[in-house]
Amino acid sequence: MSGKSPHHIDDSILGQILNSVDAYIYTKDIAGKYTYANQAVLELFDKSLAEIIGCDDSHFFDLALSAELTENDQQVIKKAIRVEGEEYNFIKNIQAVRIFKTVKKPLFDAQGNVSGMCGVSTDITSEKKLQEQVNEQAYLLDTILNNIDAHIYMKNNERTFMYVNSKVAELFGESAKNIIGKKDYDVLPQAIADHFYQSDKEVFASNQKQVIDETVIDENNIAHHYISTKIPFSQPGKPPALIGFSSDVTELYNLKEQFKKLANTDSLTNLYNRRFFTKQAHKEFQRAKRYSQVMTLISIDIDHFKVINDKYGHPAGDKVLIDVSACLSQNLRESDVLARIGGEEFSILLPETSLEDAKILAERIRVEQSELVISGKWQGDIKLTVSIGMSSLTENDVTFDALFSRTDKALYLAKTSGRNQVYTL
């Protein structure tokens, strides 16, 4: 009867198994000399087993460039511990560094003393190089994304942030690592998060790129304007996501609004200018004609304004125009349109206002202007009066110009009839 255990593996079979493993398997004695190496090791060193047995690592490695190898061996032999880690080893016969994922364990004799060590090393050179390329590309991409003047983020349809660049992190007042993995409403106020998610849902529903103008009011009641491009992005086995690029255009928006205001506003009085007034008046005229509504136009001229300029100077004239404008503005409804038409002349368009009601307003304006006292650095206070002409829309008016001309004629008659009065046509 054989004395071998039923589970005993013949050495030749064991050798075949070790030689077929896609790893470098070896043993060394306490002096660091090889006592065994599988086929992978033989091919790596381009040596036969006989040429390896009894030789130490100095025959196969440049030990000055393979510090981890010697250090790990010493740890195993001297401390009788298991060591696992990466080794960067310079192999002489191929004159190249190879990177190994290595596990080394001590071997013991019958008395329990360390008699050597065994090791299993896996070549991860290609994987490490690939990982280095990935890390380098990730670093490069991150550098680019963090230096683009835009808020860039990635979010899935469960409202979870998957990526944010430094601009987003700065905007939210958090570090990127504290934002990634969180829901938008855990990072932003609920109302703002819900506002942004409305356009997110359009991307997920259509699966198409969306370009959206977004406005957010912050806790200080300041409006921030963004142009956002949101692109659907999908990965196998993961929830639908989107990549967002949001540019803060608040400054541009405010500049645009400022230009719009400058185009429509008189720079001295901050009232509407003739261009805007004419545009609005034509709209109101069409609406009044379409719905058979009443509408009245008032024209106002400051009496003897040239005399004021000549006597007190143009700064005084400017102050008169500013104070008169402020006084006129106090008498108007939100729907009324007040403008400086030119020089010292003003017009007020009164939608849905009869001639009788407009007369009451016009007389009140005349009285208030006569009570207005303009003070300044010039000698003496300035008192003034205004002449007012007015007219209401008639069935025969085909265009607003007809109403405007009639009102202008009424103003002329008010001035030629002695000024400081209201004249109606």
Side-chain angles (χ1 to χ4, degrees):
M1 182 176 179
S2 171
K4 292 184 178 180
S5 164
H7 301 294
H8 177 79
I9 300 176
D10 186 270
D11 288 345
S12 63
I13 298 175
L14 181 59
Q16 291 179 43
I17 293 172
L18 296 178
N19 285 332
S20 66
V21 174
D22 191 17
Y24 303 95
I25 302 173
Y26 48 89
T27 60
K28 302 175 187 177
D29 63 19
I30 200 167
K33 295 180 179 180
Y34 283 91
T35 56
Y36 170 77
N38 74 343
Q39 186 63 33
V41 176
L42 304 184
E43 293 174 359
L44 178 65
F45 294 160
D46 194 22
K47 302 289 185 182
S48 66
L49 184 59
E51 291 175 305
I52 293 176
I53 299 300
C55 295
D56 63 22
D57 285 320
S58 65
H59 290 79
F60 314 111
F61 299 96
D62 184 334
L63 296 182
L65 302 176
S66 308
E68 294 101 333
L69 186 155
T70 304
E71 183 181 341
N72 289 340
D73 285 6
Q74 290 298 313
Q75 290 267 1
V76 174
I77 297 295
K78 291 183 177 181
K79 296 183 179 180
I81 59 173
R82 178 182 184 273
V83 173
E84 181 176 352
E86 293 181 2
E87 292 182 350
Y88 286 69
N89 298 334
F90 188 90
I91 302 168
K92 288 183 176 180
N93 74 295
I94 62 173
Q95 289 291 296
V97 172
R98 302 291 283 273
I99 307 169
F100 299 96
K101 177 72 173 178
T102 299
V103 178
K104 295 179 177 179
K105 298 177 67 174
L107 297 175
F108 300 93
D109 59 19
Q111 288 73 41
N113 299 315
V114 175
S115 60
M117 58 158 286
C118 66
V120 178
S121 298
T122 305
D123 192 334
I124 58 170
T125 306
S126 298
E127 289 85 345
K128 288 293 289 185
K129 287 183 178 178
L130 180 60
Q131 185 61 50
E132 287 175 3
Q133 290 176 355
V134 170
N135 291 341
E136 183 177 331
Q137 291 174 354
Y139 175 76
L140 179 62
L141 180 61
D142 209 38
T143 301
I144 294 171
L145 294 180
N146 284 333
N147 285 279
I148 291 176
D149 192 19
H151 301 85
I152 304 173
Y153 53 91
M154 186 174 177
K155 191 197 297 187
N156 65 23
N157 66 344
E158 296 172 352
R159 303 179 70 167
T160 302
F161 282 106
M162 302 164 67
Y163 169 82
V164 296
N165 72 344
S166 59
K167 290 280 289 184
V168 174
E170 181 183 346
L171 179 66
F172 293 172
E174 287 273 6
S175 65
K177 67 178 182 180
N178 287 339
I179 297 172
I180 295 171
K182 290 184 178 179
K183 307 287 187 183
D184 53 13
Y185 49 77
D186 291 328
V187 182
L188 296 166
Q190 185 74 47
I192 294 178
D194 290 345
H195 175 80
F196 282 130
Y197 189 60
Q198 292 303 312
S199 56
D200 291 351
K201 288 194 292 186
E202 292 180 22
V203 178
F204 294 128
S206 66
N207 200 35
Q208 299 289 326
K209 180 177 80 171
Q210 302 284 337
V211 179
I212 307 143
D213 291 326
E214 296 180 308
T215 300
V216 178
I217 309 298
D218 66 16
E219 62 275 9
N220 297 317
N221 204 34
I222 297 173
H224 298 270
H225 305 276
Y226 300 89
I227 293 179
S228 297
T229 300
K230 300 185 178 183
I231 304 167
F233 179 79
S234 60
Q235 291 176 292
K238 293 185 179 180
L242 62 81
I243 299 173
F245 302 84
S246 295
S247 297
D248 189 335
V249 293
T250 304
E251 186 176 348
L252 183 62
Y253 179 89
N254 291 338
L255 191 61
K256 182 179 177 182
E257 289 299 305
Q258 185 179 349
F259 282 142
K260 187 187 296 183
K261 182 179 179 182
L262 288 172
N264 296 329
T265 307
D266 174 61
S267 59
L268 177 64
T269 63
N270 283 326
L271 298 182
Y272 291 126
N273 58 21
R274 187 186 187 105
R275 174 181 173 276
F276 181 82
F277 178 82
T278 302
K279 182 179 178 181
Q280 291 299 111
H282 281 291
K283 287 181 180 178
E284 289 296 333
F285 176 84
Q286 294 298 332
R287 189 170 70 88
K289 293 291 283 186
R290 184 182 303 115
Y291 298 107
S292 300
Q293 294 175 340
V294 293
M295 184 175 75
T296 301
L297 179 63
I298 295 177
S299 288
I300 303 164
D301 189 88
I302 301 173
D303 294 331
H304 305 296
F305 184 72
K306 185 178 183 304
V307 174
I308 295 172
N309 269 337
D310 293 344
K311 182 177 180 180
Y312 298 99
H314 286 284
D318 288 348
K319 183 68 163 52
V320 168
L321 291 171
I322 291 170
D323 287 1
V324 167
S325 298
C327 187
L328 291 174
S329 298
Q330 295 173 2
N331 287 284
L332 303 183
R333 305 166 300 180
E334 188 175 344
S335 59
D336 299 335
V337 184
L338 167 64
R340 181 187 175 194
I341 298 301
E344 67 274 23
E345 187 176 342
F346 303 84
S347 286
I348 305 174
L349 186 68
L350 304 170
E352 300 181 37
T353 305
S354 67
L355 189 62
E356 289 72 21
D357 290 338
K359 281 181 182 178
I360 297 172
L361 172 62
E363 186 59 31
R364 183 165 70 243
I365 289 173
R366 187 193 67 78
V367 173
E368 287 179 357
Q369 297 297 332
S370 65
E371 294 173 349
L372 195 62
V373 177
I374 314 296
S375 301
K377 295 180 180 179
W378 48 86
Q379 186 175 1
D381 293 333
I382 300 173
K383 290 195 150 188
L384 51 88
T385 61
V386 297
S387 298
I388 301 175
M390 55 187 298
S391 184
S392 287
L393 184 66
T394 68
E395 293 182 358
N396 296 326
D397 292 331
V398 178
T399 65
F400 172 75
D401 291 340
L403 174 61
F404 188 83
S405 295
R406 193 165 58 252
T407 305
D408 194 50
K409 183 177 180 181
L411 175 61
Y412 173 77
L413 292 173
K415 292 168 67 176
T416 56
S417 300
R419 294 187 174 85
N420 189 24
Q421 62 180 291
V422 177
Y423 204 100
T424 303
L425 281 180

